Amino acid sequence: MLASKLCEGIFKVLIKDIPTTCQVSCLEVLRILSRDKKVLVPVTTKENMQILLRLAKLNELDDSLEKVSEFPVIVESLKCLCNIVFNSQMAQQLSLELNLAAKLCNLLRKCKDRKFINDIKCFDLRLLFLLSLLHTDIRSQLRYELQGLPLLTQILESAFSIKWTDEYESAIDHNGPPLSPQETDCAIEALKALFNVTVDSWKVHKESDSHQFRVMAAVLRHCLLIVGPTEDKTEELHSNAVNLLSNVPVSCLDVLICPLTHEETAQEATTLDELPSNKTAEKETVLKNNTMVYNGMNMEAIHVLLNFMEKRIDKGSSYREGLTPVLSLLTECSRAHRNIRKFLKDQVLPPLRDVTNRPEVGSTVRNKLVRLMTHVDLGVKQIAAEFLFVLCKERVDSLLKYTGYGNAAGLLAARGLLAGGRGDNWYSEDEDTDTEEYKNAKPNINLITGHLEEPMPNPIDEMTEEQKEYEAMKLVNMLDKLSRRADVKDLHQDGG
């Protein structure tokens, strides 16, 4: 094919000592051609891969990135490698043989603290993501041999310009500028690569692993509290952070919340005193200087996750891919960490006051989640029901109060709890307090629909004595017929 011959000719030119501008032009053409899998088959050789590795500065262990004029060549070479590795199985095998993952990690170490070479970092990370996506062996190599977890976490720290105030706490400037497009892209690629590296990390066996996961969770908390250059980029950044948090052992997620400083505690006390005395139920959650506070803990990150979840619900599509990760994350956080559960309960299931509408009718977060409990996608409705069940401390009576029996029947049937009771997990014994409005309405609440229904008029009250007697005799006759049919059926069965 003509395109394959053109590729071969480009590689022959790239071997020679030619000007940088000529190298960039050749690589740009090669990048476009490498999108076609058929073109790649004859040109994907070890020699050609080594040419690209040399141009991308992936072969030279001690070579520093000082020549700015070479940066465009490095970037274009990395772009070509991304396309070739993605589209060619032969290139994927050669990547293992050439130990490409180790070379990429070495290049990252050269430029992790240098912001003016973000393009190099971005495509290095993208190639690392592709390799770890396509080869499980490379995931293991990155995790243990190449120390990819701390390396990629440091890349995120650099992209976010994190300044630590404590072991797992960073300074947040709410009035600071948003991330630049280049920093955002680097962070997103690093988050995706980290997801692959940690995809099997459900249990922590070493103290060093626990510490590293806590550091990463603290970096992700910082990530949730900053914004990108656009709303779409911010959502993409937070979406990848949520996916990665799902891989963090749940015992390490306590760093998503942190105690208030002395100054913040004083501000919270002032805010509580300013609330009216009749708002005691709302006093536990306050907002002061852009900080969401609950029970003496900073809940900003959890509040961001809750808002992110609600936005995904409002989108109304791709629930399995877009909604279930954040719902699962909030469910596990609530199950393992009491303060997080109580805060989310306060936000999602506040004390009931108005019970005139069905639980699924309305625009609150509770209404939206209850609607999902009867969604056509089994996975979506299961995780939505599970989240609400955990917020209710897995108590059936509490869940039914907020959802109604009809909406909760699927979960209760799956758990074997249709007759009532509670789930298997242990929760604190603090009791829910009902509002006066709910207590007054409770006798008239329909347990199936979960809302207040006006008492139905008794049809007998408007009947005359003759009508009542007629209906009574009609009922007697119907019962007599049923009794006779039952006797006949028994005779037939005895005769058989």
Side-chain angles (χ1 to χ4, degrees):
M1 288 178 61
L2 182 61
S4 296
K5 290 182 178 180
L6 179 57
C7 285
E8 291 175 358
I10 290 173
F11 278 112
K12 290 177 181 178
V13 172
L14 290 172
I15 296 175
K16 301 176 182 178
D17 185 16
I18 57 176
T20 300
T21 53
C22 186
Q23 286 179 323
V24 172
S25 298
C26 288
L27 290 166
E28 286 174 346
V29 175
L30 183 62
R31 170 168 53 85
I32 295 170
L33 293 172
S34 62
R35 296 170 184 167
D36 188 341
K37 294 182 180 181
K38 295 179 181 178
V39 172
L40 290 175
V41 173
V43 298
T44 305
T45 63
K46 186 175 182 179
E47 291 74 18
N48 288 341
M49 288 283 287
Q50 287 175 325
I51 292 171
L52 290 176
L53 295 183
R54 177 179 57 80
L55 293 172
K57 298 295 182 183
L58 291 171
N59 271 343
E60 299 152 71
L61 294 176
D62 299 322
D63 189 41
S64 60
L65 300 175
E66 297 296 340
K67 296 181 180 178
V68 178
S69 60
E70 294 179 344
F71 289 177
V73 176
I74 298 173
V75 171
E76 284 300 324
S77 300
L78 289 170
K79 288 180 181 180
C80 289
L81 284 168
C82 285
N83 285 352
I84 293 171
V85 168
F86 181 72
N87 288 315
S88 170
Q89 289 187 346
M90 176 60 71
Q92 294 163 22
Q93 293 300 321
L94 288 171
S95 298
L96 291 171
E97 184 180 336
L98 294 168
N99 202 14
L100 181 54
K103 298 177 187 297
L104 289 168
C105 288
N106 183 64
L107 181 60
L108 278 178
R109 291 186 177 92
K110 294 178 189 176
C111 59
K112 66 181 180 183
D113 295 321
R114 300 173 62 179
K115 294 187 176 182
F116 59 89
I117 49 178
N118 274 323
D119 282 344
I120 295 177
K121 282 195 289 187
C122 185
F123 288 102
D124 184 307
L125 289 165
R126 183 170 298 177
L127 186 50
L128 206 56
F129 162 70
L130 288 173
L131 289 173
S132 56
L133 175 68
L134 297 166
H135 281 287
T136 55
D137 291 343
I138 289 181
R139 292 179 202 168
S140 179
Q141 182 191 16
L142 275 171
R143 174 76 187 278
Y144 300 107
E145 180 186 334
L146 301 175
Q147 296 297 303
L149 188 56
L151 173 62
L152 293 171
T153 302
Q154 288 168 9
I155 293 294
L156 284 176
E157 287 184 49
S158 175
F160 299 146
S161 301
I162 289 180
K163 296 178 181 177
W164 297 104
T165 58
D166 204 343
E167 187 176 20
Y168 302 122
E169 293 180 35
S170 61
I172 304 293
D173 183 5
H174 292 287
N175 299 317
L179 288 178
S180 69
Q182 293 81 8
E183 289 168 340
T184 306
D185 288 339
C186 272
I188 290 171
E189 296 299 334
L191 289 169
K192 292 193 295 186
L194 268 170
F195 178 85
N196 289 343
V197 172
T198 60
V199 73
D200 299 319
S201 303
W202 293 105
K203 296 180 180 179
V204 179
H205 300 288
K206 300 178 183 177
E207 190 63 31
S208 59
D209 288 340
S210 178
H211 168 71
Q212 191 57 55
F213 276 114
R214 286 176 182 273
V215 171
M216 188 175 74
V219 171
L220 294 176
R221 178 184 181 273
H222 188 99
C223 175
L224 292 171
L225 300 180
I226 57 179
V227 295
T230 65
E231 187 174 343
D232 288 344
K233 276 295 181 182
T234 299
E235 182 174 355
E236 185 181 359
L237 183 68
H238 289 176
S239 177
N240 282 284
V242 167
N243 292 340
L244 182 51
L245 279 169
S246 300
N247 288 350
V248 176
V250 69
S251 60
C252 300
L253 292 176
D254 56 341
V255 299
L256 291 178
I257 60 175
C258 55
L260 301 181
T261 63
H262 293 300
E263 294 78 7
E264 289 173 329
T265 303
Q267 291 174 350
E268 181 195 13
T270 303
T271 306
L272 288 172
D273 291 338
E274 291 171 355
L275 287 174
S277 59
N278 64 342
K279 294 290 186 180
T280 54
E282 288 84 354
K283 281 194 173 187
E284 288 194 60
T285 305
V286 295
L287 182 65
K288 187 72 173 178
N289 294 341
N290 294 321
T291 301
M292 183 64 66
V293 176
Y294 181 85
N295 200 23
M297 305 294 287
N298 185 323
M299 293 287 178
E300 287 179 285
I302 304 301
H303 193 248
V304 170
L305 290 172
L306 186 61
N307 289 336
F308 180 84
M309 179 199 73
E310 188 173 8
K311 287 180 182 178
R312 287 295 170 95
I313 294 175
D314 292 341
K315 277 191 172 183
S317 61
S318 302
Y319 280 157
R320 182 173 285 273
E321 299 81 12
L323 177 62
T324 54
V326 66
L327 261 178
S328 298
L329 174 63
L330 290 174
T331 301
E332 293 307 314
C333 284
S334 300
R335 184 176 278 123
H337 303 289
R338 179 173 178 266
N339 277 321
I340 294 177
R341 174 180 57 77
K342 294 189 72 174
F343 171 74
L344 288 172
K345 170 77 180 298
D346 185 72
Q347 298 292 307
V348 177
L349 301 175
L352 285 175
R353 300 185 185 280
D354 182 10
V355 289
T356 56
N357 293 321
R358 289 171 177 257
E360 67 270 21
V361 175
S363 58
T364 66
V365 182
R366 169 198 166 215
N367 301 142
K368 295 171 183 178
L369 286 167
V370 173
R371 284 197 290 272
L372 289 178
M373 293 175 76
T374 54
H375 195 271
V376 294
D377 189 307
L378 181 62
V380 172
K381 74 177 183 180
Q382 283 179 338
I383 189 60
E386 185 75 13
F387 177 51
L388 293 176
F389 194 42
V390 169
L391 293 188
C392 294
K393 295 186 288 189
E394 299 191 22
R395 288 173 44 189
V396 173
D397 57 342
S398 180
L399 178 69
L400 296 182
K401 181 173 76 173
Y402 288 102
T403 68
Y405 197 91
N407 292 312
L411 172 75
L412 299 180
R415 290 290 198 96
L417 294 172
L418 285 171
R422 61 188 309 166
D424 299 329
N425 293 287
W426 182 89
Y427 297 88
S428 59
E429 292 299 327
D430 49 312
E431 294 293 330
D432 295 330
T433 55
D434 292 334
T435 62
E436 287 299 322
E437 295 92 332
Y438 180 78
K439 289 178 181 178
N440 294 334
K442 188 174 181 179
N444 297 318
I445 292 177
N446 185 319
L447 296 179
I448 302 299
T449 62
H451 82 298
L452 181 65
E453 288 186 349
E454 294 297 329
M456 298 294 290
N458 190 343
I460 297 179
D461 293 341
E462 299 180 0
M463 290 183 181
T464 63
E465 291 301 321
E466 291 79 6
Q467 287 175 320
K468 290 179 183 179
E469 185 176 350
Y470 172 78
E471 292 294 335
M473 291 305 299
K474 187 176 175 181
L475 180 60
V476 169
N477 291 332
M478 291 172 66
L479 290 173
D480 183 58
K481 287 181 180 179
L482 286 173
S483 178
R484 290 174 184 276
R485 287 179 183 174
D487 291 341
V488 171
K489 187 176 180 181
D490 289 341
L491 284 172
H492 281 303
Q493 288 178 345
D494 293 340

